[in-house]
Amino acid sequence: MVDVERVLDEAGLKNPHVRDYVAYWAEVTGADRVEVVSASDDDRLLAESLAAGELSPVTGGRYFSRSYAKDTARSEERTVVATSDEADKGVYNNWRPAEETVATLTERMRGASAGKTMYVIPYLMAPQGSPLEAYAAGVELTDSRPVVQQMIRMARVGIDYLNDLADPDSFVRAVHVTGDLPNLGQGTPDDQRLFATVADRRTILHYGSSYGGNALLGKIAHGLRQACYDGKDSERFLAEQFLLLGITDRQTGKKVHVVGGFPSASGKTNLSMTLPPEALGDRYYVEFYGDDIAWLWVGDDGRIWAFNPENGVFGVAKDTNEDSNPTAIEAIKEGSGAIFTNVAYNPKTQDVWWEGKTKNPPEDVDGWLDWKGTPIADRTPEQAGEPWAHPNSRFTTTIANVPNAAEGYDDPRGVPVDAIIFGGRTRDREPLIRAITDVAEGVYDGMTLGAEATFAAEGVEGQLRYDPMSMRPFMAYSEGEYAAHWLHIISHATSQPIFAHVNWFQRDPEDGHYRWPGYRENLRALLWLIQYRDGEVTGVESPVGVLPAREELNLDGLEISEADLDAILSIDIDRWRQEMGFREEHLRQFDGLPEEIWEAHRRVAAALEAAAEG
Ligand code: OXD
Ligand code: MN
């Protein structure tokens, strides 16, 4: 038996509730050792992991890790939200009763950390001193040392965050047990993995994975799922899978902040870290606050305020390069301490590579191993086309490494939000940007957000996979109540942000080329939005919002054809009418959707019918 009391005394961990919690789970999991960690332990833990072969060195003080081959992504089917109130059941949250979920997980975790160390990670998902601090503290217990290193990059980690809580019992209890990965039946009917947020007990129990998205409990389980629940329960805030960025106009001195939700693979990380287009670089300065999570609340001044609860970036490596995201490349360069997971690795040169890092893979394949550890040189001709890196391979780095990180990213007051944008991935219907000033219509737009199914097999051609507010995998309670809570929070603001829907992905049906160049140029759409909000331009009314008049969009230094510009600054009424039918079906799934949302839907539908009649 570990002498938990002694370990906690030695670590100076005084909070009695935390002590009881650690002692309880040390006993259940049967860990051989308990160790309390802080960010200052990073170097020592890295050295231990290198010695143990859990990490491999990458040039310039960076690291590589490879996870078990069947454990490389979040598992949405195995992820549940549990509470004691069945009314919390939604369409997407895989609701389960709290009691039996805790019992099942306690049994799975029993003795499962035998022989291992249980690390105690006190963390805060907020800048210290923020008005939402009561919802931000947590303690993750994990039996994986690489999870500790990732948490140190992704959250504020240290014992002081726990000893000085206003309410010493108000911390999230987050337990991560890896389990015997080769024997968990991943993807079979007897899958043993289970990832539960027991939201009304503020307890997170994740069993059966060491992949970051399942194992870094501060990020997705606490920062999104638990906080989504707490925000509603307290009626104080929204926790969303949103980026947060700032744009400063050096000419006028005006600074604005934008938050935005984008379904996976719709360019959220790239936009969050964007630089201004080359030709506008002297005038505008873009600052990074966060790429994945924002908590939003109404400030004393009646505006919506936001911060990013994270302290790092857990980004998808694929297609990250000097053109798509130069700031990310800078944030993971030598000296950054970045950790790469499931990329291709070369132990001889201590280099890493992923698809899209450079146009072609390294020419000299000597030493290169694919993400499974198989030498590239040994590939058969049939295997030649297989990716070197896993498509969900990742980099983990702290925000302080991002070159355009905002000076105020750590400010506990957060920043005022000027615009809330939603962005899908749509080839033919969504214009470049449409502004929405009505709050209910803005929330309605978020509830009908989606991305085109990537393969025809995933859905009907032209029909979206809906992902309300980009929260589909993180929704903690029912969608109807979720929409009501949004309306409640936003309409309490006396000065409301403008909403908009953006789409960088329209294509020419003839040859398939993207009509808009994307990446840095996307800032042009946001600049128009702010001008529209400030009454500097009038835009063009449409049934689905206000579009930029072409002369209003700043196109300095951009080459784009007239045909492409026409297409992205107009709407296809017939495709929109078809979409309204899909939306109706989608919204009907949700019990208790507020009448304001249905009214918004009917208003848009009626405007489209009127436009069709001409
Ligand atoms: C995600 C992530 O899976 O941010 O959404 O990692
Ligand atoms: Mn995410």
Side-chain angles (χ1 to χ4, degrees), residues 410-434:
D410 218 9
D411 188 337
R413 293 168 304 178
V415 293
V417 174
D418 297 277
I420 299 176
I421 64 173
F422 299 114
R425 176 182 262 277
T426 317
R427 73 179 59 212
D428 64 351
R429 174 179 49 79
E430 282 289 359
L432 178 66
I433 184 164
R434 47 188 177 85

Side-chain angles (χ1 to χ4, degrees), residues 74 219-220 224 241 264 268 291-293 314 394 474:
R74 278 190 293 109
K219 180 184 178 60
I220 282 170
L224 284 170
Q241 190 185 209
S264 301
K268 181 159 60 80
D291 73 320
D292 199 40
I293 307 182
F314 179 58
R394 299 277 180 147
F474 312 112

Side-chain angles (χ1 to χ4, degrees), residues 224-371:
L224 284 170
R225 254 176 235 116
Q226 180 66 51
C228 173
Y229 183 89
D230 289 343
K232 161 79 175 71
D233 191 51
S234 64
E235 301 200 348
R236 283 189 58 189
F237 66 106
L238 302 166
E240 307 297 330
Q241 190 185 209
F242 281 1
L243 62 79
L244 172 54
L245 60 81
I247 308 170
T248 302
D249 180 342
R250 291 196 182 95
Q251 206 166 300
T252 62
K254 189 160 77 179
K255 179 166 187 193
V256 295
H257 299 97
V258 179
V259 295
F262 295 70
S264 301
S266 304
K268 181 159 60 80
T269 298
N270 290 345
L271 179 63
S272 73
M273 295 187 164
T274 193
L275 297 174
E278 202 81 49
L280 308 184
D282 287 342
R283 177 159 177 189
Y284 296 101
Y285 178 57
V286 188
E287 284 171 296
F288 171 85
Y289 286 87
D291 73 320
D292 199 40
I293 307 182
W295 291 6
L296 294 85
W297 71 98
V298 183
D300 295 337
D301 61 356
R303 285 193 290 178
I304 298 288
W305 287 70
F307 64 66
N308 168 17
E310 302 196 272
N311 195 43
V313 178
F314 179 58
V316 174
K318 187 172 190 290
D319 290 331
T320 303
N321 58 49
E322 281 295 345
D323 292 326
S324 68
N325 197 337
T327 40
I329 293 293
E330 187 73 15
I332 55 179
K333 69 178 184 189
E334 297 201 347
S336 63
I339 300 174
F340 301 92
T341 310
N342 293 338
V343 296
Y345 176 65
N346 189 329
K348 286 191 178 166
T349 58
Q350 303 190 346
D351 200 2
V352 286
W353 191 81
W354 51 82
E355 273 62 33
K357 182 174 188 235
T358 48
K359 195 153 176 267
N360 298 307
E363 221 159 279
D364 182 2
V365 299
D366 183 42
W368 279 102
L369 307 174
D370 70 11
W371 69 274

Side-chain angles (χ1 to χ4, degrees), residues 123-153:
Y123 66 82
L124 192 67
M125 296 306 290
Q128 199 164 16
S130 93
L132 299 179
E133 201 171 51
Y135 308 99
V139 181
E140 173 163 354
L141 309 178
T142 178
D143 60 9
S144 160
R145 189 163 34 201
V147 166
V148 182
Q149 290 136 3
Q150 306 240 12
M151 278 293 286
I152 286 174
R153 282 155 183 72

